[in-house]
Amino acid sequence: MGDLLSRPSAPRARLRELLAAPGTLVAPGAYDALSARLVEQAGFDVVYMTGFGTTASLVGRPDVGLLGGTEMVDNARRIVAAVDVPVIADADTGYGNAINVVRTVQLYEQAGVAGIHLEDQVLPKKCGHMSGKAVIGVEEMAGKIRAAVAARHDPDFLLIARTDSAAVEGLDAAITRARAYADAGADVLFVEAPVSDGEIERVADELKGVAPLVFNWAEGGRTPPISLDRIHELGFSLVLYPIGTLLAATAGIQAFLQTLHRDGTPAATLPDLPTFEGFTDLIGLPEVRDLEQRFAP
């Protein structure tokens, strides 16, 4: 972290620079400020705020549209404040119609987010790798994208258009929708949940040159887990690993609690955990001590 806890520099311009560079930009998911700091400390250049993980961490429930825009923006604001790298955030459906999208874009931009993705599901939405989704009309979604473009104050604020229509209307319709969303002004296209290598290749081939593309490597989801080299070879500009940090944290907490329940103390787990001092260093205590020396009597 920089001086005075955080000093981010032009994160939106930096995100566009990263997307334009050769290679595929890797964005691990974070569900809170701590997981975002861990992503940054691991050396990644961008953080992705997962809606699935945000819902799980805030209310302990599945990603079925339970959170509103205010809760999502509040989490995004905390994540942005915790890191110096750009943050891309899930903005679900924009939380209503095109007018709601205007406010959603403004709030995320005010929170310091570098970019968001908006999807064409019916509100309330569901996780893109769950069954039972429904989508709005293509013209309505195109209008929401146009509203988002008009609403942003910073032209570098990245707008990613996501379509969930492949599971509802088929891949042909999803590709057609993606083209329409690019025409409406989306900066990046995100066709959610192709279910085979062939579908992944079709998305890449048919949308090549239309706009940069997102690949969602949803851990345990419906899309085949192809290699990063293959993702790059196909021409995807950005790959999301949305919930791996959440799943890893869940497994670690479960193992800790099982030992505690069995033994009555956590002593057997301590060799595998960060030390108290190591953890406080990780979250910035030395910097706080420096600030105390500079400013506190």
Side-chain angles (χ1 to χ4, degrees):
M1 301 290 285
D3 292 340
L4 299 177
L5 300 181
S6 178
R7 186 174 291 173
S9 57
R12 293 169 191 148
R14 175 60 177 156
L15 176 59
R16 287 184 177 267
E17 177 185 309
L18 289 166
L19 280 172
T24 300
L25 180 61
V26 174
Y31 52 89
D32 64 5
L34 176 59
S35 57
R37 291 204 67 185
L38 295 175
V39 169
E40 180 182 47
Q41 290 172 2
F44 293 97
D45 293 318
V46 63
V47 169
Y48 170 65
M49 189 193 88
T50 157
F52 184 105
T54 297
T55 304
S57 65
L58 291 185
V59 297
R61 298 295 180 184
D63 184 14
V64 291
L66 297 176
L67 294 188
T70 300
E71 292 164 303
M72 291 286 285
V73 170
D74 282 347
N75 199 43
R77 183 179 293 108
R78 288 189 289 270
I79 286 173
V80 168
V83 298
D84 291 341
V85 297
V87 175
I88 299 170
D90 187 346
D92 296 315
T93 65
Y95 311 103
N97 63 17
I99 309 308
N100 299 105
V101 166
V102 168
R103 184 165 185 264
T104 294
V105 168
Q106 292 170 342
L107 291 176
Y108 272 100
E109 193 170 358
Q110 290 164 14
V113 169
I116 60 172
H117 66 73
L118 295 165
E119 67 200 48
D120 55 7
Q121 284 196 57
V122 171
L123 188 70
K125 55 74 57 84
K126 292 184 179 179
C127 167
H129 291 258
M130 292 179 181
S131 60
K133 296 186 292 183
V135 292
I136 63 176
V138 61
E139 289 302 325
E140 181 181 357
M141 183 61 184
K144 292 170 78 167
I145 296 297
R146 290 194 297 271
V149 172
R152 64 182 170 190
H153 176 73
D154 185 346
D156 280 336
F157 184 78
L158 195 78
L159 293 172
I160 303 170
R162 167 176 144 178
T163 179
D164 286 69
S165 59
V168 182
E169 302 173 339
L171 192 64
D172 287 343
I175 291 170
T176 298
R177 279 175 174 259
R179 289 181 178 276
Y181 303 161
D183 290 342
D187 300 305
V188 177
L189 300 176
F190 178 174
V191 176
E192 176 66 303
V195 296
S196 68
D197 290 343
E199 287 197 351
I200 295 168
E201 291 172 7
R202 278 199 60 205
V203 169
D205 289 343
E206 297 195 31
L207 294 175
K208 182 179 181 180
V210 176
L213 301 177
V214 173
F215 184 87
N216 191 19
W217 208 105
E219 298 89 336
R222 296 184 174 189
T223 301
I226 63 176
S227 71
L228 182 59
D229 285 343
R230 181 60 174 151
I231 292 168
H232 172 56
E233 179 185 325
L234 288 169
F236 288 91
S237 298
L238 171 67
V239 56
L240 309 177
Y241 295 93
I243 62 171
T245 56
L246 174 72
L247 299 179
T250 300
I253 292 169
Q254 285 177 326
F256 171 86
L257 293 173
Q258 287 167 2
T259 300
L260 178 60
H261 190 267
R262 182 192 68 218
D263 297 348
T265 79
T269 69
L270 296 183
D272 297 323
L273 300 180
T275 64
F276 179 82
E277 292 78 10
F279 184 78
T280 55
D281 284 352
L282 180 148
I283 57 174
L285 183 59
E287 183 182 354
V288 173
R289 295 204 188 284
D290 288 343
L291 293 176
E292 288 174 340
Q293 292 296 316
R294 289 174 61 188
F295 302 122

